[in-house]
Amino acid sequence: SNPTYQWYVNGLAAGTNAPVFSYEPLNGDEIFVEMISSHSCAVVTEATSNIVTMQVAPPYLELFANPTKGGTVAGTGNYPAGAQVTVVATASPGWEFLNWKNADGTVISTNASYVHTIIYCYEALTATFSSTAKIAGQLKYFNNQETIIPSPNNHGVFYAELYEGETVIGERQLLRYNIENGLDSYYEYIGVESGKDYKLRIWEQATNNQLGNVWTWNNWGGTTANDALIIGFMTANNPILTQLPWIAPVAVPNYTPLFSKVADMNNSNSLTGVDALLLQYVMTGAPGYMPLPGGAHNFRLATTRLPNHGAMAYPNAPELLFTPFGNYQATTTASDVYHEVSLNNLSDGLNVFNIYLVSSGDVNASYKPGINSKMGADINYDGLLAAKEGEVVIIPVKVNQSIDFAAMSIGFNFDNNHIEVLSVENYPIHYIDNEASTVKVAWVDQQGKSLSNGDDLMLIKARIVGNLQSGDRYFELMPDVEFADINASVIGGVGLTIPYIESGVTGLNDSQQSLAHSAYPNPFRGQTRINYLLPEAGKVKISLYNNFGQEIKILVDENLEAGSHQLLVNSSDLKDAGQYFYRISLDGLSKFWTVKGTLIYVE
């Protein structure tokens, strides 16, 4: 009833006199116990137990890599408790080590080589790796300065989202200033993998999230007749386009995909003269041309891989085109209108993909958003045109220098309290908005036109509706006036002149009075118009003379009132092509006036 116990470990006595023996075993230990009976009648007083052989696994440390292709780990194995083990993580090419985490996900070290103390029977550590491949870039306009497009801006914000297949990678990103890089309108996706393909999506959101409120809807612009001229050159495969490498980097007609799209105004996937014509109507603001026909968006988007943030794509056209999605109407939900591009086979490290925007039609890539960068003319007042209220007058707009040009975009703001613009003579592509007090004109001719100093650029027919006095400015040039030559090069510093208007013919001193006159078009084929301003009433005679000074026809011989008049001269009034002269004489109440002009008739 009260035996004694003797424990043995590997044949050596151990433990205490107790039926339970507790100790820390080693692998292979053999344990047994002897029990000695306390009963006096026991025949055999000793009993020996079976032998228990201990099988002991020492503490085990297991290491993992996440993701497995991100790198390798070293240090997995059995260690005695309390041992200090150096574990090492080695990143694979294109990856970088981030940290060590324990089984609970807690970061325990950010050093790739880390000394770990064994505490538990089983421990698991994970080395976390991140791909060094990164997609990043800025939102820019494609021009010679690669102007930053602000986001956020006073219309809303731009967003970016990255996909692998149809799976979203990370969250959508607001394009905005990045403090770390010091870059505006910036986006960045880290942790992407080299060698993989991704899809980048860009869109806008704005107040009440309607497309009509976003930046791209409200900032289309920068196109001029020079752009229409270049589109005409593209349809004609004109070799001059090689001076614009983003359009024709080698030889025509191998136009770059982006600028083939930029020139495709009607979204027909082909280039014709219709695109050049359509652009002229669009830029004059004619109703029915915005949004663009065929569902074309105001801006075309593209990107190209760059080596770093300081590199520029210009003057080479970005290589990758975004595909537009969504119905391009002002009331469309803005986020339903977006653009996507595939980014293939990323490399290790930084992959810079700036997002470039180009206004549809701006093929010379000269627009700088927010800047009236194409202002190429100014307007001065000289001379006097006398007219009464209610009278229709022809206002000559003259050039103050000799100019050879093939494209012209021009717009005027006018005072609709004093004049009502009725038409622009001989320029069929124009739009007049008397309510908004604007008139815009676009003209293109690949053969070009020559004007001498003082020649009429255009004649504007207008009605005098309010009192005007000499010194009152009634026309001002709008921004984005541009002239271009037959090589599609912009002509800078063109000066224009128009006369003051005096809404009455009295009170003029001698220095203000003149018998003003002009002819347009000149040279001409079918007919030309002589415009003349009589400073007073009287007998008027207008005669035509040939190059030898012989009078060949009397065109006018009658009494006329003071003010503006015009006279058509037909080619039938002349014999052969060549140079002719006209003479205007006025026998007025105060004195006799006479002036002479030149006409050039070409067949």
Side-chain angles (χ1 to χ4, degrees), residues 392-409:
V392 174
V393 297
I394 299 294
I395 303 171
V397 181
K398 299 178 179 291
V399 293
N400 63 7
Q401 65 185 64
S402 295
I403 179 174
D404 297 321
F405 65 106
M408 174 191 68
S409 301

Side-chain angles (χ1 to χ4, degrees), residues 359-398:
S359 290
S360 293
D362 185 23
V363 285
N364 66 352
S366 59
Y367 181 41
K368 296 176 178 60
I371 303 173
N372 297 328
S373 59
K374 294 191 176 184
M375 187 67 180
D378 55 25
I379 191 165
N380 296 304
Y381 283 76
D382 185 43
L384 191 67
L385 194 159
K388 297 177 182 179
E389 288 189 35
E391 186 176 345
V392 174
V393 297
I394 299 294
I395 303 171
V397 181
K398 299 178 179 291

Side-chain angles (χ1 to χ4, degrees), residues 197-379:
D197 300 336
Y198 294 91
K199 182 171 61 180
L200 181 65
R201 177 181 294 185
I202 301 295
W203 75 96
E204 288 185 85
Q205 289 185 209
T207 306
N208 79 15
N209 202 22
Q210 285 193 341
L211 188 65
N213 295 320
V214 300
W215 189 94
T216 50
W217 183 274
N218 292 281
N219 282 271
W220 179 86
T223 54
T224 64
N226 190 24
D227 295 301
L229 176 65
I230 295 171
I231 293 175
F233 285 164
M234 293 173 73
T235 62
N237 299 331
N238 192 318
I240 196 69
L241 293 173
T242 54
Q243 70 179 352
L244 308 176
W246 53 90
I247 296 177
V250 218
V252 294
N254 297 319
Y255 305 128
T256 59
L258 172 58
F259 280 87
S260 294
K261 284 290 186 182
V262 171
D264 183 15
M265 294 298 296
N266 62 358
N267 212 30
S268 64
N269 293 318
S270 64
L271 291 181
T272 67
V274 173
D275 296 296
L277 184 64
L278 174 60
L279 178 57
Q280 294 174 71
Y281 279 107
V282 171
M283 72 180 67
T284 61
Y289 293 96
M290 269 297 179
L292 298 172
H297 294 208
N298 280 3
F299 287 84
R300 308 286 184 167
L301 276 67
T303 187
T304 196
R305 191 195 304 264
L306 298 172
N308 53 64
H309 289 305
M312 293 176 61
Y314 183 92
N316 300 309
E319 299 171 352
L320 305 175
L321 274 64
F322 282 77
T323 301
F325 293 89
N327 181 25
Y328 202 78
Q329 298 289 331
T331 56
T332 302
T333 300
S335 55
D336 289 341
V337 176
Y338 55 92
H339 297 76
E340 288 185 347
V341 68
S342 294
L343 308 178
N344 300 324
N345 195 24
L346 296 189
S347 61
D348 295 334
L350 178 63
N351 295 264
V352 175
F353 288 97
N354 289 334
I355 304 162
Y356 292 104
L357 276 68
V358 184
S359 290
S360 293
D362 185 23
V363 285
N364 66 352
S366 59
Y367 181 41
K368 296 176 178 60
I371 303 173
N372 297 328
S373 59
K374 294 191 176 184
M375 187 67 180
D378 55 25
I379 191 165

